[in-house]
Amino acid sequence: MTAHTDHASVRYIVDDVQAAVTFYTTHLGFDLGMSAAPAFAEVTRGRLRLLLSGPASSGARATPEDAAATGGRNRIHIIVDDLSAEIGRLAAEGLSFRSEEVSGPGGRQILLADPAGNLVELFEPARRTASATA
């Protein structure tokens, strides 16, 4: 197993650890690391270590009541090569998106949510022309 210091870690509070593990490993290419379901599991993708904390985990219990009721607008950001292909693949797998596709100078993105409502941003960077990179 890779040392935890080699990863950037993010904790998501989830209602159902196994449903979250299935979502991330089946649809988004994460690998299952440690699991103590139903309380906790970790999944990794590259250098991202996603901690999935269920209601019985110490991570979930440490969340203040006011923060739990007013979640932020944070999300994990996954870079993809072909956003249109990813949208088609995930829609065919029965997933729905939380936003429309958005385009800007940096690229295109769309949001989907895991089973607990945590956001995942799929992002395709804009293609740079030779003159733009010179």
Side-chain angles (χ1 to χ4, degrees):
M1 184 199 283
T2 306
H4 294 304
T5 56
D6 293 340
H7 289 94
S9 297
V10 174
R11 182 181 310 277
Y12 269 173
I13 307 303
V14 299
D15 299 326
D16 182 332
V17 171
Q18 189 54 54
V21 166
T22 300
F23 174 84
Y24 287 102
T25 59
T26 301
H27 302 296
L28 298 178
F30 281 75
D31 295 315
L32 178 62
M34 195 279 288
S35 178
F40 172 84
E42 71 176 23
V43 293
T44 59
R45 179 179 170 168
R47 297 186 64 180
L48 173 60
R49 177 176 170 243
L50 186 56
L51 310 172
L52 303 169
S53 296
S57 73
S58 59
R61 292 193 313 263
T63 304
E65 285 295 324
D66 61 339
T70 59
R73 296 174 50 173
N74 299 320
R75 54 198 179 227
I76 61 171
H77 175 94
I78 297 176
I79 296 174
V80 299
D81 291 328
D82 184 342
L83 184 62
S84 297
E86 286 298 305
I87 291 170
R89 180 182 68 81
L90 294 169
E93 292 175 3
L95 300 182
S96 58
F97 295 90
R98 294 286 307 271
S99 73
E100 297 295 322
E101 183 182 320
V102 176
S103 295
R108 301 181 312 134
Q109 66 183 23
I110 195 165
L111 299 178
L112 69 146
D114 72 11
N118 296 301
L119 295 176
V120 176
E121 176 184 324
L122 302 177
F123 178 78
E124 178 186 336
R127 304 283 186 244
R128 302 289 184 208
T129 62
S131 62
T133 58

